[in-house]
Amino acid sequence: MGMRLKRSLNDFPCALLNFFTALLPAEEKIWARAMTAELEEIGDPGTRWTWVLSGSWGLAKLWTRGRLLSLKDDGPLPVSLIAFYDAAFCCVLVGTLIGQLPLLKTPLSQAFIPLLIALFLACLPGFIAVGLWLVDDAARIQAILFSLFHALANLAWLSTSRPRWPLLPRARIALDFVMIVALLLPSVKRAFRPPPVRLRLLD
Amino acid sequence: MPDDIRYSSQTLIVLAALLQAANDWRYGYDLSRETGLKSGTLYPILARLAERQWLETRWEHAEENGKPRHLYRLTAAGRQTARAAIREKAARLRGLEAAYRER
């Protein structure tokens, strides 16, 4: 039993790396497989874990770099940056929501629907980010509206209360304004326009 | 192929390790031990070098009871670039050292 447990613990880093490999796109998979193959040579459990944890971080870096490069190829740089910002914003909102769950005093059965609505709202910038990534014009308009509402909400917050760091909402309003202007630039609008289809009447 | 690779000190260490036995195929774990770099640092560097075609990669033939391992070796262009990058870094360090001594 002890031997089996020891073997399972020793195999766990390999299983973890295999799990990450399955999540990766084809171009990064090769590096994950290369790392997994090296695990055969590493006997010490501590070194195996270091190899896997550091390797997973490396794979995450490779994945992020790949996605950022593809964003750069698909649309103009301001759109890529806004998509990245919206995706990060979504992660922060969802993270905050999950972090607040233990503080919930209402029974979960009663809080379920409001929580679902809050989760949907938190996911909104994420949906917009995906749309911008796909160079969808509807997402561009949604991003403009979202930035506008966000700026107005920050403005309302500034006028009704005294935030701890007043510079932060001001900076976010400025950022929202910059994003709106960037998304209204003619070059950006052109990038979202589908290529013209040439129609010809058949003889 | 873009030549805008950032020669971080880690990249230079990997290039120097690969240059030491430029004709030999190297394993990732061996490179990691030799350079002291963790897998999370080493593999993104190897990926970038391979992307720029400075690094050849191949899978080793599977031996009995073993998984095939990934092997690495610098290409001719990679060797040239590695030598130039290391030389440039060394010259810069010598310049800095000279400036420090003059103080």
Side-chain angles (χ1 to χ4, degrees), chain B residues 49-85:
Chain B
L49 294 176
E51 200 179 271
R52 283 163 176 81
Q53 291 170 5
W54 294 343
L55 191 75
E56 279 182 272
T57 66
R58 74 172 174 88
W59 286 98
E60 184 187 48
H61 294 294
E63 286 169 22
E64 273 181 39
N65 301 323
K67 275 186 185 174
R69 292 168 75 189
H70 210 210
L71 295 158
Y72 314 99
R73 184 169 78 174
L74 285 175
T75 59
R79 279 176 226 173
Q80 210 177 337
T81 313
R83 283 195 194 103

Side-chain angles (χ1 to χ4, degrees), chain A residues 14 18 30-31 33-38 40-43 47 50-59 61-62 65 69, chain B residues 27-30 32 37-44 46-48 50-52 55 57 59 65-70 72:
Chain A
C14 190
N18 281 332
I30 187 170
W31 300 105
R33 287 205 185 110
M35 276 185 217
T36 315
E38 292 303 298
E40 299 271 314
E41 297 300 311
I42 311 170
T47 316
T50 312
W51 183 263
V52 168
L53 293 177
S54 172
S56 307
W57 173 239
L59 290 174
K61 281 195 283 187
L62 277 174
R65 187 172 166 270
L69 285 177
Chain B
Y27 294 115
Y29 183 49
D30 295 342
S32 165
L37 296 176
K38 290 195 170 72
S39 55
T41 310
L42 177 69
Y43 279 87
L46 292 176
R48 280 205 302 273
E51 200 179 271
R52 283 163 176 81
L55 191 75
T57 66
W59 286 98
N65 301 323
K67 275 186 185 174
R69 292 168 75 189
H70 210 210
Y72 314 99

Side-chain angles (χ1 to χ4, degrees), chain A residues 1 14 18 27 37 43 45 62 69 94 118 124 129 137 150 152 197:
Chain A
M1 186 69 188
C14 190
N18 281 332
E27 59 267 31
L62 277 174
L69 285 177
V94 173
L124 264 183
D137 202 37
H150 187 251
L152 288 174
V197 181

Side-chain angles (χ1 to χ4, degrees), chain A residues 73-90:
Chain A
D73 290 343
D74 291 344
L77 188 64
V79 178
S80 309
L81 293 175
I82 294 168
F84 192 70
Y85 170 82
D86 278 342
F89 189 32
C90 169

